[in-house]
């Protein structure tokens, strides 16, 4: 059939202990108030595993979504409201598409999304695909905790968060999570925010076994607050970057401490530890660096770089205060 399960304009639905296999779409949910999928298998759909449209609350728990042709979970939103999506204890594997994608369309601008994910396994084998991707324009809260990302296609992204709102807050918390990339030019976290951001990236393990990997890459607007603490970044090849700031705008505060960056630096490519490309600031809108504990950075061409005079405060790199 076209849909294994089709839900439209209903309130509360729970699906449990189900196997939904070899359909067009596994579960299609249009304008559903609350959908819970628990202890279920959704696999081998020719389209999406779960295709949710203007579904206010989605909970996926202790389930498995595998080899669904267009991706495992898609959320599309063109109605302005508050949305809440939770994925817990679930395996999500794809070789054909992005894995989990939530997209706010024009009619939904100004909506709020609270995305909470914990204890999941994301596996992507298609080159260029992302495991968890959110495109928003409004208040956005994203939490990723104690999960495993396994990327093998090359040019993969683990987490992509993009918020077009210049005023709404983007909150991203990534904790206790492991990222393993065996394909070239892969990035664990890509965060883009036109407005303010609040970031907590702590106690994560980032492992690259192919060239040109990037751990955390971000561009955020003014009034942002970021913390990077207790993370391990390792690379067994060449050309890696630990933390990359494409653009930072004051006033903003950034705490970086107790991170371990250990790169093999096996060839001619440039390896970078903590790198600020562009800092937008003036005397009234400063970018402040903070850190009470040492960051150990080994095997890099450039352990730390920030444009001269562009920040206040300091962090500790290899026992020395910088800049």
């Amino acid at each position: 059939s076209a849909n294994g399960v089709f839900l439209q304009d209903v309130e509360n639905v729970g699906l449990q202990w189900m196997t939904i296999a070899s359909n067009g779409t596994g579960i299609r949910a249009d304008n559903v108030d609350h959908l819970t999928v628990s202890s279920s298998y959704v696999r081998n759909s020719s389209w999406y595993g779960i295709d949710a449209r203007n579904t206010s609350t989605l909970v996926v728990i202790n389930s498995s979504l595998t080899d669904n042709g267009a991706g495992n979970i898609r959320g599309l939103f063109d109605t302005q409201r508050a949305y809440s999506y939770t994925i817990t204890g679930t395996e999500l594997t794809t070789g054909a598409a992005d894995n989990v994608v939530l997209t706010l369309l024009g009619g939904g601008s100004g909506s709020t999304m609270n995305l909470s994910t914990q204890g999941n396994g994301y596996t992507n084998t298609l080159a260029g695909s992302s495991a968890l991707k959110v495109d928003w324009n409004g208040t956005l809260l994203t939490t990723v905790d104690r999960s495993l990302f396994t990327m093998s296609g090359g040019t993969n992204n683990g987490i992509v968060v993009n918020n077009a709102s210049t005023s709404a807050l983007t909150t991203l918390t990534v904790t206790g999570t492991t990222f393993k990339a065996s394909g070239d030019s892969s990035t664990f976290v890509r965060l883009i925010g036109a407005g303010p951001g609040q970031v907590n990236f702590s106690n994560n393990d980032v492992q690259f076994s192919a060239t040109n990997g990037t751990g955390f890459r971000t561009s955020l607007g003014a009034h942002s607050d970021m913390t990077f603490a207790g993370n391990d970044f390792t690379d067994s090849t060449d050309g890696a970057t630990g933390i990359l700031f494409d653009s930072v705008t004051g006033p903003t505060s950034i705490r970086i401490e107790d991170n371990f960056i250990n790169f093999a630096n096996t060839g001619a490519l440039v390896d970078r530890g903590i790198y600020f490309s562009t800092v937008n600031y003036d005397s009234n809108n400063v970018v402040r660096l903070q850190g009470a504990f040492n960051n150990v950075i080994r095997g890099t061409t450039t352990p730390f770089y920030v444009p001269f005079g562009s920040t206040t405060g300091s962090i500790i790199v290899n026992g020395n205060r910088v800049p």
Side-chain angles (χ1 to χ4, degrees):
S1 64
N3 303 292
V5 176
F6 181 48
L7 307 167
Q8 186 173 24
D9 298 325
V10 294
E11 293 185 354
N12 299 312
V13 178
L15 304 174
Q16 189 173 23
W17 303 110
M18 296 188 70
T19 298
I20 302 170
S22 302
N23 297 280
T25 295
I27 302 169
R28 169 81 180 266
D30 290 359
N31 201 39
V32 175
D33 284 350
H34 188 122
L35 170 61
T36 297
V37 179
S38 175
S39 303
S40 294
Y41 294 87
V42 184
R43 58 182 181 233
N44 299 321
S45 308
S46 58
W47 198 232
Y48 291 97
I50 299 174
D51 190 8
R53 306 185 185 191
N54 295 322
T55 289
S56 298
T57 301
L58 175 67
V59 177
V60 180
I61 184 168
N62 296 339
S63 293
S64 174
L65 290 90
T66 306
D67 295 330
N68 296 292
N72 285 316
I73 299 175
R74 176 174 76 164
L76 286 180
F77 314 93
D78 63 10
T79 298
Q80 188 183 61
R81 63 173 69 135
Y83 297 95
S84 175
Y85 278 49
T86 303
I87 308 170
T88 304
T90 292
E91 291 295 324
L92 302 123
T93 301
T94 180
D98 291 331
N99 210 326
V100 177
V101 180
L102 307 181
T103 305
L104 187 70
L105 305 175
S109 293
S111 293
T112 297
M113 168 59 74
N114 187 345
L115 172 62
S116 177
T117 69
Q118 184 179 79
N120 301 306
Y122 304 85
T123 301
N124 283 57
T125 58
L126 177 69
S129 64
S130 299
L132 183 62
K133 185 177 182 181
V134 185
D135 285 302
W136 211 252
N137 190 348
T139 301
L140 174 61
L141 299 88
T142 301
T143 301
V144 179
D145 181 47
R146 288 175 289 170
S147 295
L148 172 62
F149 291 78
T150 305
M151 310 280 112
S152 61
T155 60
N156 294 118
N157 294 298
I159 302 164
V160 180
V161 173
N162 186 359
N163 192 348
S165 175
T166 57
S167 57
L169 181 64
T170 301
T171 302
L172 175 62
T173 301
V174 183
T175 48
T177 289
T178 298
F179 177 81
K180 297 181 179 181
S182 58
D184 291 342
S185 303
S186 293
T187 300
F188 179 19
V189 178
R190 182 78 174 96
L191 171 62
I192 306 162
Q198 186 169 331
V199 175
N200 178 14
F201 185 78
S202 300
N203 302 311
N204 301 293
D205 185 12
V206 183
Q207 304 173 25
F208 299 111
S209 57
T211 59
N212 290 316
T214 302
F216 194 109
R217 182 178 181 184
T218 185
S219 173
L220 285 174
H223 303 284
S224 294
D225 191 349
M226 295 180 258
T227 297
F228 301 86
N231 303 290
D232 286 350
F233 304 85
T234 58
D235 173 42
S236 61
T237 58
D238 200 24
T241 299
I243 304 171
L244 173 61
F245 298 91
D246 286 323
S247 176
V248 176
T249 299
T252 280
S253 177
I254 305 171
R255 177 173 292 276
I256 306 175
E257 59 188 14
D258 196 29
N259 298 287
F260 180 59
I261 299 174
N262 188 25
F263 295 156
N265 197 0
T266 57
L269 298 175
V270 174
D271 292 77
R272 302 177 295 186
I274 300 165
Y275 196 93
F276 289 79
S277 295
T278 302
V279 180
N280 303 305
Y281 70 100
D282 59 40
S283 59
N284 296 315
N285 297 289
V286 301
V287 174
R288 178 171 177 77
L289 302 182
Q290 303 176 72
F293 303 101
N294 187 37
N295 298 282
V296 177
I297 302 178
R298 298 174 179 165
T300 60
T301 317
T302 306
F304 173 83
Y305 172 77
V306 65
F308 179 77
S310 64
T311 58
T312 64
S314 63
I315 66 172
I316 309 173
V317 173
N318 297 332
N320 299 309
R321 283 277 175 188
V322 295

